[in-house]
Amino acid sequence: MAKDGVFLSGVERKFGTNEIIVSKTNPKGHIIYGNEVFLRLAGYSEKEMLGQPHSIVRHPAMPRCVFKLLWDTIESGKEIFAYVLNRAKNGDHYWVLAHVTPTFDETGRIVSYHSNRRSPRPEAVAKADALYKELLAIEKSHADRKAGMEAGFQAVLSKLQAAGISYDEFVFSL
């Protein structure tokens, strides 16, 4: 099936609880390193992956507002944890619990981002998936993509504020 012009197989890929997906990007989000687990799950060769934007594995069912939250956080020099649905080259999908951190040079300037991703618990995925479907519906209810993303972002912030928790606290509550 295709979603937004992207082929989706409907097949979920899994990886072991003892495996860690590792990737590193430059400050613009282009991949400068990917470990074997990342390449295997994403279905790309190292040559195909290096230099590409990390969004090469973005699944169309992932709300854009979650990535806005992620980028706002890491660009401010902080780390973030997030559940992310990714898409492999052949249209398969896989869920990860991502931990993304900025890397600084000796002057304190961000020179890259490092991400470790672990296999998430199924019950956490179910809760994240329900929220993401809600956020995606908010985003798609706007004709303008940017306005939709901003509406989804405000919805996330409102939910967190109402619960009195940060996004990381939400992630670890799942």
Side-chain angles (χ1 to χ4, degrees):
M1 77 181 103
K3 183 173 180 110
D4 296 334
V6 176
F7 175 75
L8 302 175
S9 70
V11 175
E12 183 171 5
R13 293 184 175 201
K14 301 275 187 172
F15 60 107
T17 56
N18 62 337
E19 292 185 294
I20 300 174
I21 297 172
V22 179
S23 63
K24 194 171 183 178
T25 70
N26 67 17
K28 297 287 187 190
H30 290 88
I31 300 167
I32 58 175
Y33 172 78
N35 73 346
E36 180 276 327
V37 181
F38 181 42
L39 298 173
R40 176 173 44 91
L41 276 167
Y44 290 94
S45 70
E46 184 177 53
K47 184 178 180 180
E48 292 173 303
M49 189 68 83
L50 293 180
Q52 294 299 315
H54 209 285
S55 61
I56 193 170
V57 295
R58 185 185 180 279
H59 194 286
M62 263 308 288
R64 294 174 69 230
C65 63
V66 173
F67 290 114
K68 175 176 174 29
L69 179 66
L70 185 147
W71 277 101
D72 286 356
T73 302
I74 63 176
E75 286 178 335
S76 75
K78 299 176 185 155
E79 67 181 347
I80 192 168
F81 290 86
Y83 287 96
V84 179
L85 175 62
N86 287 326
R87 187 182 69 84
K89 180 180 178 181
N90 73 346
D92 291 355
H93 65 275
Y94 57 99
W95 280 94
V96 299
L97 172 56
H99 177 214
V100 187
T101 58
T103 304
F104 303 93
D105 68 9
E106 59 281 345
T107 68
R109 185 176 60 95
I110 295 174
V111 294
S112 64
Y113 298 105
H114 182 270
S115 179
N116 289 336
R117 276 113 47 221
R118 298 186 182 277
S119 182
R121 296 176 298 112
E123 58 274 13
V125 166
K127 291 177 182 176
D129 189 40
L131 172 64
Y132 291 176
K133 284 178 178 165
E134 180 183 333
L135 295 173
L136 198 59
I138 292 169
E139 289 183 357
K140 293 200 178 285
S141 71
H142 292 74
D144 177 82
R145 285 175 37 102
K146 187 173 182 179
M149 181 192 55
E150 191 57 42
F153 184 70
Q154 291 306 318
V156 169
L157 295 181
S158 293
K159 283 181 173 290
L160 294 172
Q161 185 177 22
I165 58 174
S166 69
Y167 186 74
D168 281 352
E169 289 170 319
F170 163 73
V171 166
F172 286 109
S173 73
L174 299 182

